[in-house]
Amino acid sequence: MHEHSTLFIDGTWASSRGSERIEVFSAATEEKLGSFPEAGPADIDAAVAAARAALRAPEWRDLSREERSQLMHRFADVLESRAAERAQTVSQQNGMPIAIASFAEGDGVVALLRYYADLVTTVELEEERTRLDGTGTTLVQRTPVGVVAAIAPWNFPAVLAMFKLAPILASGSTVVFKPSPETTLDSYLLAEAALEAGLPAGVLNIVPGGAETGKHLVSHPGVDKVAFTGSTRAGRQIGAVCGELLRPVTLELGGKSAGIILEDAPVEETVAGLATASLLNTGQTCYMSTRILAPQSRYGEFVEAITAMASSLPVGDPLDPGTFVGPVVSRTQRERVLGYIDAGRSEGARITTGGGVPQDRDRGWFVEPTVFADVDNRSTIAREEIFGPVLSVIPYADEEEAVALANDSEYGLGGTVWTADRDRGLGVARRVETGSFGVNRFDLDWGAPFGGVKSSGIGRELGPEGLEAYFSLKSIFLGT
Ligand code: NAD
């Protein structure tokens, strides 16, 4: 049982100034896993003050790029030594299949931190340019953006936190991090690693809590930038607050991406690829290709193959390495997903497999992998993000229509095309309005920018662009 009585603020374990506690439950067994104090306004004030002080503290501010890089590698060493424990803790909380948790939440966190630790040694922090008018030089400086409020969702809690923390640390900024209440236990492992690695006090502070804690943090006068990953609904609220405050903000939000199967696509490879591209982490991944567009000429064949794939995926204990589909994160989330399945039925789509709760599971928040055929792109299940193991297969007449349907969405985050002809696939990729897209695959490249267009967000994480987001630019016009 993980019972925590303190919060990680200013490099020490501080007693919470609030009185509320939050409990965490196992998605697979519904048993209590632990609890922690909710950070109240006074805790957030203390965390932001510590992060502000750390910005100016010589032991952080005066580190060279190389020293900062070494410190980040030390942090990565400690995180690496506890990768398996972190993966297991995440998996127990949100039901993520352990094979995915080991890769993303265990090893991925470490790899990402090392990537930015190396990258920062190559960044030009001061660049002297010849003035355009030829009368001397200008010094262009990259300075840390300042105190960052970082907020993460529960679906990939540790690695999505690191999408932000790694470039924040590399830039020399400091951070107040708010994890999701469903997945806060792993953030205590992060704090322990920061302490062991010798991160200076106040560089990383953690304020656990729900939406109210998040709101207080986002609007706090001591925050210089907000980095948020979560739902479009919360992203709009945060964007509105940051707009009013003229506070820079990065928003990584929801998606409803299209998986376009072209007429020439080989059925076996396509459907095997779609299993991961549409159902990774039980469909609780933001960039999933959950609107599968299949050509009318081969519609029956693909519906049958997708149905067979979905119904054969191993559903079960997330800690079993053979499991592909675990439970969804919470009872509330299961109700949401089942509500969408009802909406699909009542709007006339045809269920070809799944459609409810697995009969052999009397505990845990499981939903059967579910496939809807004959789905209209205007229906609720084709327009709204379900965030569960539910796929819609939509017929199309020709490539033109497929691209138009892919683009006929409020969102633009991911997407895929499946074809025997890579160049033709690339042609389709170029026409889809989205922040990322895969030709016969979809897995993120951490060296390339990731983010959304339309209601899927503003700004980019990952790659050198993800580091640039945490620098402020200053031009110094040099006289004689
Ligand atoms: P959510 O928006 O409910 O919560 C996300 C985080 O924001 C949590 O920590 C929550 O406590 C906090 N929060 C909620 N309302 C807030 C507010 N008004 N002000 C400040 N903080 C607030 O999302 P969720 O249900 O935890 O996560 C699932 C969503 O995240 C999905 O929509 C998914 O697509 C999205 N997501 C996006 C990406 C991406 O990179 N684009 C990645 C993963 C998940």
Side-chain angles (χ1 to χ4, degrees):
M1 190 72 82
H2 309 253
E3 293 294 354
H4 296 284
S5 56
T6 50
L7 303 175
F8 186 65
I9 293 174
D10 202 13
T12 55
W13 297 105
S15 295
S16 167
R17 293 152 174 91
S19 54
E20 301 299 318
R21 292 188 66 80
I22 296 179
E23 298 187 326
V24 184
F25 296 91
S26 156
T29 67
E30 303 180 28
E31 284 160 5
K32 187 177 159 186
L33 292 170
S35 68
F36 56 88
E38 180 180 38
D43 299 309
I44 296 167
D45 291 349
V48 173
R52 286 225 78 77
L55 266 185
R56 292 186 300 269
E59 56 269 32
W60 183 242
R61 184 193 58 195
D62 295 346
L63 291 182
S64 66
R65 289 180 311 185
E66 288 70 26
E67 287 167 333
R68 204 185 307 291
S69 172
Q70 281 163 14
L71 182 55
M72 289 172 70
H73 275 296
R74 216 157 52 232
F75 191 15
D77 291 340
V78 184
L79 288 167
E80 189 164 13
S81 69
R82 296 180 73 180
E85 183 185 359
R86 184 170 57 253
Q88 178 152 352
T89 306
V90 169
S91 176
Q92 283 176 322
Q93 294 171 101
N94 69 3
M96 179 186 293
I98 191 70
I100 303 165
S102 302
F103 170 75
E105 305 290 288
D107 301 340
V109 163
V110 177
L112 201 51
L113 189 53
R114 293 201 193 283
Y115 167 66
Y116 279 107
D118 290 339
L119 188 69
V120 72
T121 63
T122 68
V123 171
E124 213 58 81
L125 295 178
E126 289 198 344
E127 180 197 339
E128 209 166 301
R129 296 186 193 171
T130 304
R131 290 179 58 104
L132 266 191
D133 62 11
T135 62
T137 53
T138 297
L139 193 69
V140 178
Q141 222 193 355
R142 284 191 167 81
T143 59
V145 74
V147 174
V148 182
I151 300 180
W154 45 257
N155 63 330
F156 283 86
V159 80
L160 288 176
M162 197 50 79
F163 274 36
K164 301 166 182 20
L165 298 187
I168 288 170
L169 297 179
S171 75
S173 297
T174 59
V175 58
V176 179
F177 167 51
K178 192 199 84 62
S180 253
E182 297 84 352
T183 49
T184 290
L185 301 180
D186 53 285
S187 74
Y188 280 86
L189 300 177
L190 181 76
E192 284 166 21
L195 261 183
E196 195 180 327
L199 226 59
V203 169
L204 165 66
N205 309 273
I206 304 183
V207 290
E212 286 312 309
T213 305
K215 283 180 192 169
H216 192 84
L217 177 61
V218 163
S219 59
H220 197 288
V223 165
D224 298 304
K225 176 182 166 109
V226 176
F228 173 78
T229 301
S231 63
T232 295
R233 183 189 44 76
R236 282 188 209 287
Q237 292 172 4
I238 292 169
V241 172
C242 290
E244 186 60 35
L245 293 169
L246 296 178
R247 182 165 290 174
V249 61
T250 306
L251 300 171
E252 298 282 4
L253 309 177
K256 190 73 193 181
S257 304
I260 305 173
I261 302 174
L262 296 185
E263 260 183 341
D264 65 359
V267 68
E268 219 169 284
E269 289 91 328
T270 297
V271 170
L274 272 171
T276 307
S278 66
L279 288 167
L280 182 80
N281 194 23
T282 315
Q284 299 171 118
T285 310
C286 50
Y287 54 71
M288 295 285 87
S289 292
T290 51
R291 281 188 300 144
I292 299 177
L293 308 181
Q296 262 160 14
S297 56
R298 295 178 67 194
Y299 190 70
E301 180 190 352
F302 273 109
V303 167
E304 199 176 307
I306 292 162
T307 303
M309 173 273 286
S311 57
S312 68
L313 295 173
V315 179
D317 178 1
L319 293 176
D320 178 341
T323 292
F324 192 88
V325 175
V328 296
V329 67
S330 62
R331 185 183 302 278
T332 312
Q333 185 64 11
R334 182 167 69 178
E335 293 312 311
R336 245 189 106 223
V337 174
L338 293 174
Y340 276 117
I341 293 175
D342 285 346
R345 274 197 189 95
S346 63
E347 284 180 312
R350 173 168 61 91
I351 289 189
T352 63
T353 185
V357 171
Q359 294 202 331
D360 57 344
R361 297 266 146 204
D362 56 353
R363 274 182 317 158
W365 298 303
F366 289 87
V367 177
E368 290 175 311
T370 300
V371 176
F372 279 102
D374 305 338
V375 177
D376 187 318
N377 196 49
R378 290 162 300 189
S379 64
T380 307
I381 55 168
R383 301 213 81 77
E384 296 186 16
E385 183 181 49
I386 298 175
F387 232 52
V390 182
L391 303 180
S392 297
V393 192
I394 302 169
Y396 73 83
D398 56 23
E399 201 176 293
E400 227 25 66
E401 193 194 4
V403 172
L405 285 169
N407 289 338
D408 181 13
S409 171
E410 184 196 342
Y411 297 104
L413 187 59
T416 47
V417 62
W418 305 88
T419 172
D421 179 346
R422 203 179 78 140
D423 287 343
R424 195 175 159 202
L426 189 53
V428 169
R430 290 197 166 106
R431 286 151 67 205
V432 177
E433 296 154 5
T434 183
S436 56
F437 200 80
V439 180
N440 295 332
R441 68 185 295 174
F442 196 105
D443 36 5
L444 295 188
D445 171 7
W446 290 349
F450 174 70
V453 299
K454 302 194 269 186
S455 297
S456 291
I458 296 174
R460 294 291 179 269
E461 293 188 310
L462 301 181
E465 295 79 3
L467 176 56
E468 202 60 46
Y470 295 104
F471 285 124
S472 244
L473 293 176
K474 188 199 279 183
S475 295
I476 303 175
F477 313 120
L478 294 170
T480 49

